[in-house]
């Protein structure tokens, strides 16, 4: 009798062990900003407590390697079950059928949670009518303005409109040590790619692709787009914009801002911990991007959480995905500067009381995603090149944008 | 007589088998690890290859190659790569040899100097690329600071990495800087194995500095020289990380080289078949050049 | 008098060159001793003030560099041994023996040097991942690093072996040594400067390898130094002071190997010299 009981217990124990599914979660949460610690110390253990039959194995990947890892992993069929993926990569991996279309496979659940997400971030999960993951965290860029430099020229607030911006930029550019070269600038940014220029393009009423992401003609080279590019070029030619915008290195935007060299810069929420990390007493002031004819528009960044087609634990993975996008977990991540993607948190105390998230949430309500299209990398490079052609090499604005349209239409054709 | 013949034959066969056994482990490992992937690459280039192994690949024959030869960006990358090799290789060879020769004569501080010259070689490409990016920064960079504020050679900061006209210069500089220690090391090994007696004998015959160098050192260093030329050329064509990190191919494609172009097409645009075609053409080119170099410059059979 | 002037000029040139070679290095060391707020001052600080060793302490203890260091050591030493052994075997075979299609095989070996390594990674990874044992296993890295540069090294060593006077080996053979013993006891010792150079280059190659180990060694506990160092490059910022401190730590063993093995050059000259 005893023996039989022991055998039964043994079988049950083995059965229970076997019933535990292990899912791997690939992510790029970094250790130096507390994200990783939160994940491993609190978030995952609590999930495992609530789901004793699922174990989550997290794999931290350096951000600069994640893409390589994904590519090599795809070719070899070796990928994590769940991946925290940069939003601009999702359509490309969806197109090669590596991601689970959650609106089909988990239709019921998806329908329930879909409307809880902010529209901008949610749009980055969509390709050809299906959703290939859920938004996980989002961010955007706003305009930081340096109060000290502003007050020196009699200004007390960041610019609200584009006209004010242009006026201020001129006032704030100076040659302080009289050596013939400017050493204080009205504006500085790090590049001319869409991540930096979408705020300009869309705030001027311009576009890149149309709303169905299938057309470039009439959008890339629309009136608003042309005016945006022309304005930035004029600002640069007049010397109000620091050289860093055309590359070539030099003082980074954050360092320049804190050192009172750059009066206005574009930055995401990571700027606060980074600037304070080096300059603990820095004062940081932010406003939404100055409004032009298109309003105040900025660019959406962030990560989505996806499930891979090669996963053998799709249902368990979906539980984890739902958990990571739930109200409580999203709220917890706010502490480590991860902006939530849920509408329910926009008016939450934790956001309102947050030292700087409210201006970002405000900006997010009108922010524009970089076109979710598998050819985005090519479109990105074409746009970058077009802006460089104008600003660095003095090509005509309309010509460059028309040429960009030609090239982009070819890319779009590849995927039809 | 007959026995003698038998033993010779057996020795020849024995040596043949011995030779094969010596090279077999290395060749076999290489076959699996390098040669098979190369054929895989050739194969890939004939398809519109999809990264996902579960999606069938569309066979397009030589279309990728046709597209390649009509692609202006390919020719830009090609010319940049050739320019890089043509500029950096001679400098590395000449300067490396110069330093090796200078170090070979003195006894004082030789070890220290050898160490200092070798330091650039032992730092990783990623770190030095990032470092040079900083050194050549338009504002706040060390180079402009030295040229403008210390030596007063220039009036305004040079926009090294932001202008198409100057963007390659920091990249050339990095390549040469990093390679000199390597060529120096190998030339030193070569110089040190030239028996001193040869020099002494020549000196007795009345030969002085230059003559010694030209008639003894150079000819005996020839195999090393050719070897280094071939390796440095191959290395020059393979330039990748420094460009990727310092400029990403920009500004406006002025620093795009074959490897960065291939990387972009394959890893960023997912045009893997096309990338493989670039690799195949690259390979054929480099192989041909290195074979030509060996054939025209060697004195002894290799 | 002319002698002294020439020597002086040479000396000055060497020093100038050394300064140019080392300056970027100096800049790295200096930055590694700075506190993070002082990294981007304009003009850049040439002497750190305040100077601190905190970065090194923090990198070694908090950032797990002690662990990464030993991981690197455990991989690099066996890999170098494997590499030198395999390469010298192959090179010796090509140098001293005649067998069918010998030059053809050698040309194929050399040809592989011209292939851009980038595209090989995918098929290589595909092969490795099929064998579960090989994934996340440092042994895999030892194996692949040992094999990886055989072509180059064999190319390099073959010339050295061919330059050694064959008489010593023939004598050994008459004394009854078989081919392997001759290789092991006679040829290898004679090729010392070449082997020493090989150890230096090989060590560097394996020690600094980043991309391939980062693909295979996915567990944090298995990371090697290069993976650890590049971990300081985050998505939106780079912690230069820590990155450079880590780099300095990583450079030390390479320097040690270099200093140790470069002695072999001088030694051979005293023994009567070798022909290349």
């Amino acid at each position: 009798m005893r023996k039989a009981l022991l055998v039964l217990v043994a079988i049950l124990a083995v059965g229970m062990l076997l019933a535990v599914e292990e899912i791997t979660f690939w992510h790029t949460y970094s250790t130096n900003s507390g994200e990783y610690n939160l994940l491993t110390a609190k978030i995952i253990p609590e999930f495992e407590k609530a789901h004793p039959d699922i174990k989550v194995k997290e794999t931290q990947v350096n951000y600069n390697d994640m893409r390589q890892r994904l590519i090599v992993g795809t070719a070899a069929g070796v990928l994590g079950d769940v991946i925290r993926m940069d939003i601009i990569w999702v359509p490309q991996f969806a197109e090669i059928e590596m991601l689970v279309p959650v609106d089909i496979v988990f239709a019921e659940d998806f329908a329930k949670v879909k409307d809880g997400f902010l529209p901008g971030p949610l749009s980055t999960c969509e390709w050809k009518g299906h959703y290939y993951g859920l938004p996980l965290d989002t961010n955007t860029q706003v305009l930081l303005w340096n109060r000290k430099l502003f007050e020196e020229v009699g200004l007390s607030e960041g610019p609200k409109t584009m006209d004010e911006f242009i006026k201020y930029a001129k006032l704030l550019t100076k040659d302080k040590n009289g050596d013939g070269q400017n050493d204080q600038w009205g504006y500085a940014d790090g590049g001319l790619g869409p991540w930096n220029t979408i705020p300009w393009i869309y705030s001027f009423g311009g576009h890149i692709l149309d709303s169905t992401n299938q057309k470039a003609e009439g959008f890339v080279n629309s009136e608003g787009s042309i005016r945006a590019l022309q304005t930035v070029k004029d600002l640069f030619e007049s010397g109000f914009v620091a050289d860093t915008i055309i590359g070539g290195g030099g003082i980074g935007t954050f360092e320049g801002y804190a050192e009172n060299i750059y009066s206005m810069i574009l930055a995401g929420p990571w700027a606060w911990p980074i600037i304070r990390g080096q300059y603990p007493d820095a004062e940081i002031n932010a406003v939404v991007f100055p409004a032009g004819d298109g309003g105040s528009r900025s660019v959406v960044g962030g990560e989505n959480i996806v499930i891979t087609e090669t996963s053998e634990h799709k249902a368990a993975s979906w539980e984890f995905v739902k958990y990571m996008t739930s109200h409580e977990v999203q709220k917890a991540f706010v502490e480590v500067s991860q902006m939530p993607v849920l509408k329910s948190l926009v008016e939450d105390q934790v956001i309102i009381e947050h030292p700087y998230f409210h201006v970002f949430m405000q900006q997010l309500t009108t922010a524009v995603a970089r076109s979710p299209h598998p050819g985005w990398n090519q479109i990105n490079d074409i746009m970058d090149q077009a802006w460089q052609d104008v600003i660095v090499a003095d090509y005509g604005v309309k010509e460059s944008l028309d040429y960009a349209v030609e090239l982009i239409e070819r890319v779009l054709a590849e995927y039809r | 007589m007959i026995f003698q013949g038998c033993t010779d034959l057996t020795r020849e066969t024995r040596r043949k088998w011995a030779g094969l056994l010596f090279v077999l482990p290395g060749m076999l490992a290489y076959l699996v690890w390098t040669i098979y992937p190369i054929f895989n690459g050739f194969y890939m280039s004939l398809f519109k290859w999809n990264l996902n192994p579960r999606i069938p690949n569309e066979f397009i024959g030589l279309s990728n190659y046709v597209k390649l030869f009509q692609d202006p960006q390919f020719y830009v990358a090609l010319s940049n790569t050739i320019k890089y090799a043509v500029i950096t290789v001679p400098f590395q060879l000449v300067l490396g040899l110069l330093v090796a020769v200078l170090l070979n004569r003195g006894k004082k501080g030789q070890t220290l100097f050898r160490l200092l010259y070798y330091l650039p070689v032992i730092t990783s490409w990623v770190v030095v690329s990032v470092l040079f990016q900083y050194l050549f920064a338009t504002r706040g960079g060390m180079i402009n600071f030295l040229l403008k504020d210390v030596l007063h050679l220039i009036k305004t900061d040079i926009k090294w990495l932001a202008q198409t006209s100057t963007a390659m210069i920091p990249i050339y500089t990095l390549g040469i800087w990093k390679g000199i220690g390597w060529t120096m090391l190998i030339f030193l090994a070569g110089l040190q194995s030239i028996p001193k007696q040869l020099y002494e004998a020549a000196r007795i015959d009345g030969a002085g500095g230059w003559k010694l160098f030209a008639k003894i050192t150079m000819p005996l260093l020839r195999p090393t020289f050719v070897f280094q030329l071939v390796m440095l050329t191959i290395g020059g064509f393979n330039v990748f990380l420094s460009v990727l990190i310092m400029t990403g191919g920009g500004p406006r494609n002025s620093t795009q080289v074959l490897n960065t172009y291939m990387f972009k097409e394959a890893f960023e645009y997912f045009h893997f078949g096309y990338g493989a075609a670039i690799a195949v053409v690259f390979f054929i080119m480099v192989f041909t050049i290195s074979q030509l170099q060996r054939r025209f410059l060697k004195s002894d059979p290799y | 008098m002319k002698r002294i002037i020439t020597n002086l000029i040479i000396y000055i040139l060497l020093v100038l060159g050394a300064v140019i070679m080392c300056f970027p290095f100096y800049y790295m060391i200096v930055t590694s001793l700075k506190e993070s707020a002082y990294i981007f001052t304009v003009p850049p600080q040439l002497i750190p003030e305040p100077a601190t060793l905190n970065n090194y302490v923090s990198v070694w203890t908090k950032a797990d560099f002690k662990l990464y260091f030993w991981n690197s050591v455990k991989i690099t030493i066996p890999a170098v041994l494997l590499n030198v052994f395999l390469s010298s075997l192959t090179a010796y075979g090509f140098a001293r023996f005649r067998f069918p299609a010998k030059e053809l095989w050698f040309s194929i070996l050399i040809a592989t040097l011209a292939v851009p390594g980038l595209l090989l990674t995918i098929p290589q990874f595909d092969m490795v991942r099929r064998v579960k044992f090989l994934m996340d296993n440092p042994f895999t890295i030892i194996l692949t690093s040992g094999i990886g540069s055989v072509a180059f090294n064999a190319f390099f060593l073959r010339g050295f072996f061919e330059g050694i006077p064959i008489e010593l080996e023939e004598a050994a053979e008459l004394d009854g040594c078989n081919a392997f013993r001759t290789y092991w006891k006679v040829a290898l010792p004679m090729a010392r400067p070449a082997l020493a150079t090989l150890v230096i280059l090989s060590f560097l190659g394996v020690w600094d390898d980043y991309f391939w180990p980062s693909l295979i060694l996915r567990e944090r506990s298995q990371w090697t130094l290069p993976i650890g160092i590049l971990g300081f490059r985050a998505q939106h910022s780079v912690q230069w002071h820590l990155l450079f401190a880590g780099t300095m730590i990583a450079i030390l063993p390479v320097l040690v190997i270099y200093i140790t093995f470069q002695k072999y050059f001088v030694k051979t000259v005293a023994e009567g010299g070798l022909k290349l």
Side-chain angles (χ1 to χ4, degrees):
Chain A
M1 195 54 213
R2 263 276 175 88
K3 233 194 213 167
L5 207 63
L6 277 172
V7 172
L8 196 63
V9 171
I11 293 179
L12 277 174
V14 171
M16 272 175 62
L17 280 171
L18 288 176
V20 170
E21 285 187 84
E22 191 183 84
I23 58 174
T24 44
F25 174 43
W26 287 14
H27 66 87
T28 51
Y29 286 122
S30 66
T31 358
N32 38 327
S33 34
E35 304 156 7
Y36 183 67
N37 294 335
L38 182 66
L39 180 76
T40 48
K42 197 156 162 261
I43 305 289
I44 290 183
E46 289 197 7
F47 175 77
E48 289 178 339
K49 235 187 336 177
H51 296 84
D53 52 338
I54 306 179
K55 194 158 154 15
V56 177
K57 186 154 164 270
E58 55 81 23
T59 307
Q60 184 187 39
V61 181
N62 190 312
Y63 178 77
N64 295 294
D65 297 329
M66 180 55 112
R67 195 176 160 80
Q68 251 57 282
R69 215 47 103 79
L70 290 174
I71 290 173
V72 178
T74 303
V78 171
L79 283 175
D81 297 284
V82 181
I83 305 183
R84 176 182 185 248
M85 189 185 278
D86 195 318
I87 55 177
I88 50 177
W89 303 343
V90 172
Q92 209 176 20
F93 282 93
E95 217 267 331
I96 60 171
E97 301 175 31
M98 282 314 292
L99 303 180
V100 172
V102 297
D103 61 327
I104 301 177
V105 179
F106 304 106
E108 229 183 87
D109 280 344
F110 180 75
K112 275 192 241 158
V113 296
K114 176 176 174 191
D115 292 322
F117 292 104
L118 288 167
L122 185 63
S123 73
T124 63
C125 302
E126 197 197 337
W127 169 240
K128 282 213 170 122
H130 291 292
Y131 290 83
Y132 289 91
L134 295 180
L136 181 60
D137 55 81
T138 187
N139 54 59
T140 183
Q141 298 210 80
V142 297
L143 191 77
L144 266 54
W145 56 280
N146 185 316
R147 182 197 289 280
K148 178 164 178 291
L149 298 179
F150 266 56
E151 284 175 352
E152 276 173 20
V153 297
L155 297 167
S156 56
E157 261 181 34
K160 293 198 200 60
T161 65
M162 206 25 96
D163 292 329
E164 281 178 9
F165 179 90
I166 295 172
K167 246 198 322 198
Y168 294 6
K170 179 164 182 197
L171 284 172
L172 291 158
T173 305
K174 301 179 184 166
D175 171 9
K176 291 206 284 222
N177 59 5
D179 64 350
Q181 274 184 290
N182 286 334
D183 26 57
Q184 180 184 306
W185 289 270
Y187 183 66
D189 202 358
L192 291 169
W195 175 247
N196 308 82
T197 57
I198 278 182
W200 291 92
I201 297 174
Y202 280 79
S203 297
F204 269 87
H207 298 84
I208 295 185
L209 296 181
D210 71 312
S211 54
T212 62
N213 296 314
Q214 295 297 324
K215 245 180 96 181
E217 171 62 53
F219 291 88
V220 168
N221 52 359
S222 69
E223 247 234 76
S225 307
I226 294 177
R227 263 184 298 127
L229 181 46
Q230 187 68 58
T231 307
V232 175
K233 178 168 169 81
D234 294 336
L235 286 169
F236 183 71
E237 298 257 284
S238 316
F240 306 148
V241 180
D243 285 339
T244 49
I245 203 169
I246 58 171
I251 306 166
T253 47
F254 296 162
E255 291 76 35
Y257 177 78
E259 298 262 356
N260 302 318
I261 298 174
Y262 302 147
S263 323
M264 296 185 278
I265 63 170
L266 270 184
W270 47 82
W272 274 254
I274 292 175
I275 295 179
R276 295 262 169 72
Q278 268 176 256
Y279 306 89
D281 300 320
E283 184 188 328
I284 306 178
N285 296 300
V287 287
V288 292
F289 196 75
D293 288 338
S296 161
R297 316 290 299 278
S298 187
V299 59
V300 171
E303 278 85 13
N304 294 330
I305 188 164
V306 302
I307 304 175
T308 53
E309 278 288 4
T310 48
S311 167
E312 288 170 12
H313 309 281
K314 295 199 176 80
S317 300
W318 178 242
E319 290 301 316
F320 186 63
V321 167
K322 277 195 293 184
Y323 174 73
M324 289 292 278
T325 52
S326 64
H327 187 96
E328 301 72 42
V329 176
Q330 288 278 308
K331 190 163 166 169
F333 269 105
V334 171
E335 286 168 47
V336 289
S337 295
Q338 292 285 299
M339 290 186 67
V341 291
L342 299 174
K343 287 185 192 152
S344 59
L345 281 167
V346 175
E347 299 298 321
D348 193 297
Q349 276 303 97
V350 71
I351 295 289
I352 297 185
E353 286 170 3
H354 194 280
Y356 50 91
F357 270 5
H358 52 274
V359 64
F360 285 96
M361 291 308 258
Q362 210 188 329
Q363 185 80 81
L364 269 172
T365 51
T366 53
V368 177
R370 285 154 292 173
S371 314
H373 192 281
W376 173 256
N377 282 339
Q378 288 165 265
I379 297 173
N380 184 78
D381 290 347
I382 294 169
M383 289 302 296
D384 196 338
Q385 176 98 341
W387 278 61
Q388 282 192 56
D389 280 347
V390 170
I391 296 180
V392 175
D394 277 329
Y395 281 64
V397 174
K398 187 151 187 342
E399 293 167 5
S400 302
L401 291 178
D402 285 339
Y403 182 55
V405 168
E406 213 186 289
L407 296 175
I408 293 178
E409 288 289 352
R410 265 186 247 162
V411 173
L412 294 174
E414 253 184 74
Y415 295 92
R416 288 216 184 94
Chain B
M1 232 16 234
I2 304 168
F3 284 134
Q4 182 81 348
C6 281
T7 342
D8 281 341
L9 214 85
T10 323
R11 179 181 185 267
E12 206 40 57
T13 324
R14 253 192 297 129
R15 281 193 72 78
K16 187 169 72 174
W17 283 109
L20 278 171
L21 280 174
F22 267 101
V23 302
L24 217 59
M27 292 298 294
L28 219 62
Y30 226 63
L31 207 83
V32 169
W33 190 243
T34 310
I35 298 182
Y36 162 69
I38 293 175
F39 277 104
N40 193 303
F42 270 107
Y43 185 68
M44 252 206 269
S45 69
L46 302 172
F47 290 79
K48 194 174 177 204
W49 203 76
N50 198 306
L51 186 61
N52 187 344
R54 293 172 326 161
I55 299 183
N57 297 319
E58 194 191 316
F59 181 74
I60 54 173
L62 295 174
S63 299
N64 278 329
Y65 292 93
V66 171
K67 185 163 159 227
L68 185 64
F69 289 120
Q70 295 173 332
D71 186 350
Q73 286 215 28
F74 170 68
Y75 291 105
V76 169
L78 183 61
S79 103
N80 282 337
T81 313
I82 293 178
K83 273 194 259 182
Y84 180 83
V86 164
I87 291 182
T88 59
V89 172
F91 270 102
Q92 287 175 82
L93 281 175
V94 169
L95 291 176
L97 180 60
L98 183 66
V99 175
V101 165
L102 289 179
L103 282 183
N104 202 28
R105 8 159 65 236
K107 328 95 209 165
K108 243 190 170 189
Q110 212 198 103
T111 322
L112 178 64
F113 274 123
R114 290 220 292 253
L115 184 67
L116 294 180
Y117 278 88
Y118 190 63
L119 281 179
V121 181
I122 65 180
T123 354
S124 81
W125 272 107
V126 176
V127 176
V128 290
S129 301
V130 159
L131 189 65
F132 266 64
Q133 195 181 27
Y134 252 74
L135 291 177
F136 279 91
T138 313
R139 299 270 305 188
M142 211 28 113
I143 302 283
N144 274 341
F145 177 65
L146 286 173
L147 288 176
K148 187 175 73 135
D149 302 299
V150 173
L151 297 173
H152 299 291
L153 287 173
I154 55 173
K155 275 258 181 79
T156 52
D157 290 319
I158 301 180
K159 301 182 188 158
W160 296 103
L161 292 168
Q163 286 171 158
T164 51
S165 51
T166 54
M168 275 309 265
I169 295 179
I171 298 176
Y172 294 147
T173 312
L174 175 57
I176 296 170
W177 175 84
K178 201 167 191 308
I180 293 182
W182 196 87
T183 50
M184 172 207 78
L185 186 71
I186 299 196
F187 273 130
L188 257 178
L191 283 173
Q192 301 259 9
S193 34
I194 297 177
K196 288 240 152 85
Q197 299 92 287
L198 286 172
Y199 288 115
E200 278 152 25
R203 249 186 272 265
I204 293 174
D205 281 347
W210 273 122
K211 252 220 163 133
L212 284 175
F213 189 73
K215 294 269 162 165
I216 300 180
T217 319
M218 287 304 287
L220 284 176
L221 275 185
R222 198 179 177 142
T224 329
F225 191 84
V226 174
F227 167 74
Q228 295 231 56
L229 180 66
V230 172
M231 295 315 302
L232 286 177
T233 310
I234 294 179
F237 269 78
N238 268 296
V239 62
F240 174 58
L241 277 177
S242 51
V243 176
L244 191 71
I245 291 176
M246 287 175 85
T247 59
R252 306 181 62 245
N253 265 343
S254 55
T255 59
Q256 194 81 274
V257 292
L258 284 174
N259 261 335
T260 51
Y261 184 51
M262 181 174 39
F263 179 78
K264 198 167 70 143
E265 283 290 335
F267 288 76
E268 298 206 358
Y269 300 169
F270 280 10
H271 296 155
F272 282 95
Y274 191 63
I278 299 175
V280 168
V281 171
F282 179 105
F283 164 65
I284 293 176
M285 229 180 351
V286 177
F287 180 61
T288 314
I289 293 178
S290 55
Q291 289 296 86
L292 287 174
Q293 279 175 328
R294 284 177 65 205
R295 206 140 294 197
F296 280 123
L297 293 172
K298 70 177 179 197
S299 43
D300 359 298
Y302 216 36
Chain C
M1 190 56 203
K2 191 172 169 197
R3 251 281 169 84
I4 301 179
I5 295 187
T6 337
N7 278 344
L8 197 64
I9 295 180
I10 291 178
Y11 201 72
I12 294 179
L13 281 176
L14 281 176
V15 169
L16 209 62
V19 168
I20 296 177
M21 288 288 117
C22 294
F23 186 72
F25 226 74
Y26 175 74
Y27 189 70
M28 267 201 277
I29 297 180
V30 158
T31 308
S32 73
L33 294 170
K34 288 184 192 170
E35 286 171 23
S36 64
Y38 294 87
I39 303 177
F40 299 108
T41 53
V42 175
Q45 272 185 335
L46 281 175
I47 298 185
E49 187 170 333
T52 172
L53 284 176
N54 278 344
N55 299 331
Y56 287 90
V57 173
S58 144
V59 153
W60 188 253
T61 53
K62 280 196 288 182
D64 287 329
F65 264 59
K66 194 156 101 183
L67 171 67
Y68 304 155
F69 190 88
W70 290 117
N71 286 342
S72 279
V73 170
K74 281 189 289 186
I75 289 178
T76 312
I77 295 184
V80 170
L81 290 172
L82 174 61
N83 195 345
V84 173
F85 179 59
L86 205 58
S87 307
S88 58
L89 263 184
T90 315
Y92 189 69
F94 277 110
R96 288 306 193 215
F97 297 86
R98 280 206 292 266
F99 46 87
K102 171 169 119 163
E103 288 308 328
L104 177 65
W105 288 50
F106 197 67
S107 293
I108 292 177
L109 209 62
I110 306 299
T112 64
L113 288 172
V115 179
L118 263 183
L119 237 48
L120 295 182
T121 317
I122 292 183
Q124 284 172 341
F125 187 76
D126 193 26
M127 280 192 276
V128 169
R129 67 101 187 172
R130 285 170 203 275
V131 184
K132 230 192 168 126
F133 168 70
L134 292 176
M135 284 302 292
D136 299 302
N137 192 343
F139 175 70
T140 313
I141 309 293
I142 295 176
L143 208 61
T144 59
S145 304
I147 299 174
S149 49
V150 161
F152 168 75
N153 298 340
F155 184 25
F156 179 64
L157 281 178
R158 180 178 167 175
F160 271 86
F161 280 131
E162 283 173 352
I164 298 175
I166 201 168
E167 293 80 43
L168 280 162
E169 290 161 64
E170 289 179 341
E173 212 188 326
L174 285 172
D175 276 349
C177 286
N178 65 20
F180 188 79
R181 280 194 89 184
T182 316
Y183 151 79
W184 191 255
K185 298 242 151 175
V186 180
L188 274 191
M190 297 267 279
R192 252 198 286 246
L195 290 178
T197 317
L198 202 61
V199 168
I200 294 175
L201 295 175
S202 183
F203 187 88
L204 181 64
V206 184
W207 186 258
D208 271 355
D209 196 7
Y210 169 69
F211 190 52
W212 179 250
S214 74
L215 285 178
I216 303 291
L217 302 172
R218 300 177 296 183
E219 296 277 331
R220 224 206 160 107
S221 57
Q222 303 278 29
W223 283 5
T224 55
L225 278 175
I227 305 176
I229 292 174
L230 285 174
F232 291 121
R233 269 176 95 201
Q235 185 174 0
H236 299 291
S237 65
V238 183
Q239 295 171 288
W240 297 110
H241 51 307
L242 297 176
L243 194 145
F244 288 145
T247 306
M248 289 300 132
I249 294 178
I251 280 178
L252 284 174
V254 185
L255 281 178
V256 166
I257 295 281
Y258 178 71
I259 294 173
T260 318
F261 281 85
Q262 59 140 29
K263 282 191 225 157
Y264 283 95
F265 295 158
V266 190
K267 215 170 173 200
T268 336
V269 173
E271 282 167 19
L274 284 179
K275 260 204 348 168
L276 228 178

